[in-house]
Amino acid sequence: MPLTRLFPNLGVSDYQVTSPPSADYNCIAWAALEDDRWWWPDLNRIFYWPEDGPREETLDGFVKTFELYGYESCTSTEIEVGFEKVAI
Amino acid sequence: MACIQLREYSGQRGIAAFWPFDGQGLSDESNQLRDGATRAFIHYHIPMTRETLAQKFRALADAWQEETAHLSSPTKIAMHPAYQQIIGMGLPVIPLILQDMSKEPKQWFWALTSITGINPVVPNEQGRIRKMAAAWLRWGTEESYI
């Protein structure tokens, strides 16, 4: 399915495809700098999730997990020099 | 306001989907309406009495893949109505799932675990799609499903 159909707002922005689709990882894994496995806090333990991270599909759970990797909550969504940000 | 319309009917696969497929931009109520209309359409055109298990599986699997391939949440992927129908088909659908997964690793893990009650993937291979698929295919061979 064309990207612009999946994400209509792409049509009004300047974008370029930087890599082909991959089934090897998902967005959370990518945000955690991994591109060879799926991360997800499912209770069935089908997917990878850090041992110390809460296995719960909540915003708080995702935030706590990323805090394990040195991230901390911030109030600004703007790009800031010297900081790497993830949007959850 | 979103408009629901019938997409071109694919006679080859015997399946139809309703626009927009991904539900983005629609309210929860509109999404429920869309899902219900899709289910009704599928039920009308693919009655169990006239479809083989393999045909029904293929139609549902194609619809599921079409509408979830871009998603990152395994929960959303597994909660798709077509995927849930496949889970509901029970053990007889296991060989079809494994056959499909042998061609290309897909997110069949939730369904396989739900149907069989087991998970043959070792902890250090959690999330590694190709290794997970290989583990399930080994299990399928050992259990004579394939």
Side-chain angles (χ1 to χ4, degrees), chain A residues 5-56:
Chain A
R5 185 179 291 180
L6 290 169
F7 307 104
N9 286 340
L10 281 178
V12 296
S13 63
D14 185 21
Y15 78 98
Q16 59 180 348
V17 177
T18 58
S19 62
S22 171
D24 291 333
Y25 61 94
N26 61 348
C27 64
I28 292 294
W30 178 256
L33 306 180
E34 290 203 357
D35 62 1
D36 61 352
R37 61 180 168 184
W38 280 58
W39 285 39
W40 202 252
D42 61 300
L43 295 177
N44 289 332
R45 294 184 175 271
I46 292 174
F47 300 95
Y48 172 77
W49 197 246
E51 278 302 313
D52 296 333
R55 270 197 180 263
E56 57 183 48

Side-chain angles (χ1 to χ4, degrees), chain A residues 6 24 27 36 38 45 57, chain B residues 24 72 75 126-128 130:
Chain A
L6 290 169
D24 291 333
C27 64
D36 61 352
W38 280 58
R45 294 184 175 271
E57 280 188 53
Chain B
Q24 289 190 6
S72 266
T75 303
Q126 285 174 341
R128 300 189 191 281
R130 294 173 198 283

Side-chain angles (χ1 to χ4, degrees), chain B residues 3-26:
Chain B
C3 174
I4 295 177
Q5 63 185 35
L6 187 62
R7 193 172 61 121
E8 180 182 358
Y9 176 71
S10 169
Q12 183 181 3
R13 291 177 173 173
I15 190 69
F18 287 83
W19 171 267
F21 312 118
D22 55 18
Q24 289 190 6
L26 296 184

Side-chain angles (χ1 to χ4, degrees), chain B residues 57-84:
Chain B
F57 169 79
R58 188 71 269 149
L60 291 169
D62 287 347
W64 165 70
Q65 181 71 13
E66 168 83 3
E67 298 179 21
T68 65
H70 64 290
L71 297 178
S72 266
S73 162
T75 303
K76 287 185 177 178
I77 292 171
M79 288 299 121
H80 188 277
Y83 195 86
Q84 289 294 304

Side-chain angles (χ1 to χ4, degrees), chain B residues 21-37:
Chain B
F21 312 118
D22 55 18
Q24 289 190 6
L26 296 184
S27 66
D28 290 344
E29 290 77 11
S30 296
N31 272 320
Q32 288 174 8
L33 181 62
R34 182 202 61 161
D35 292 343

